[in-house]
Amino acid sequence: GHAALLQLLRSGEPGRPAADRAPVVGEALLAVWRYPREPELEPIARWLAAPDAELRWRAAYALVRRPSPAAAPRLLAHAADADARVRALAV
């Protein structure tokens, strides 16, 4: 399951996710942190750049649920995000 979630997060385009895929990506972002392994940051962190605030806050949530020092700079870069949920998670 973990590998499938990471593959899904790698395959999407954060700048223009297909409308029908956005809910699937959003659910993947909410689920990926549950796996016991240290998460790969790139498949998750790339969704912080999504124009859809729903996907951005879910990406931030996934990164903070499994804290990693490597995620801190990526999260702090979104401390001024337009969406309050993203800002709150980023800091």
Side-chain angles (χ1 to χ4, degrees), residues 11-49:
S11 67
E13 180 61 43
R16 290 176 290 167
D20 61 331
R21 282 197 68 199
V24 175
V25 170
E27 290 303 315
L29 287 167
L30 289 180
V32 73
W33 71 268
R34 292 186 174 120
Y35 286 89
R37 292 181 235 157
E38 184 69 25
E40 293 181 44
L41 294 181
E42 189 52 35
I44 300 166
R46 63 194 297 263
W47 292 96
L48 288 169

Side-chain angles (χ1 to χ4, degrees), residues 36-91:
R37 292 181 235 157
E38 184 69 25
E40 293 181 44
L41 294 181
E42 189 52 35
I44 300 166
R46 63 194 297 263
W47 292 96
L48 288 169
D52 184 348
E54 284 295 316
L55 296 177
R56 290 196 315 274
W57 85 256
R58 290 167 187 240
Y61 178 82
L63 290 172
V64 300
R65 291 298 293 182
R66 286 258 183 218
S68 168
R74 293 171 184 243
L75 287 165
L76 288 176
H78 293 276
D81 194 274
D83 188 82
R85 297 168 296 180
V86 178
R87 290 192 308 267
L89 289 164
V91 295

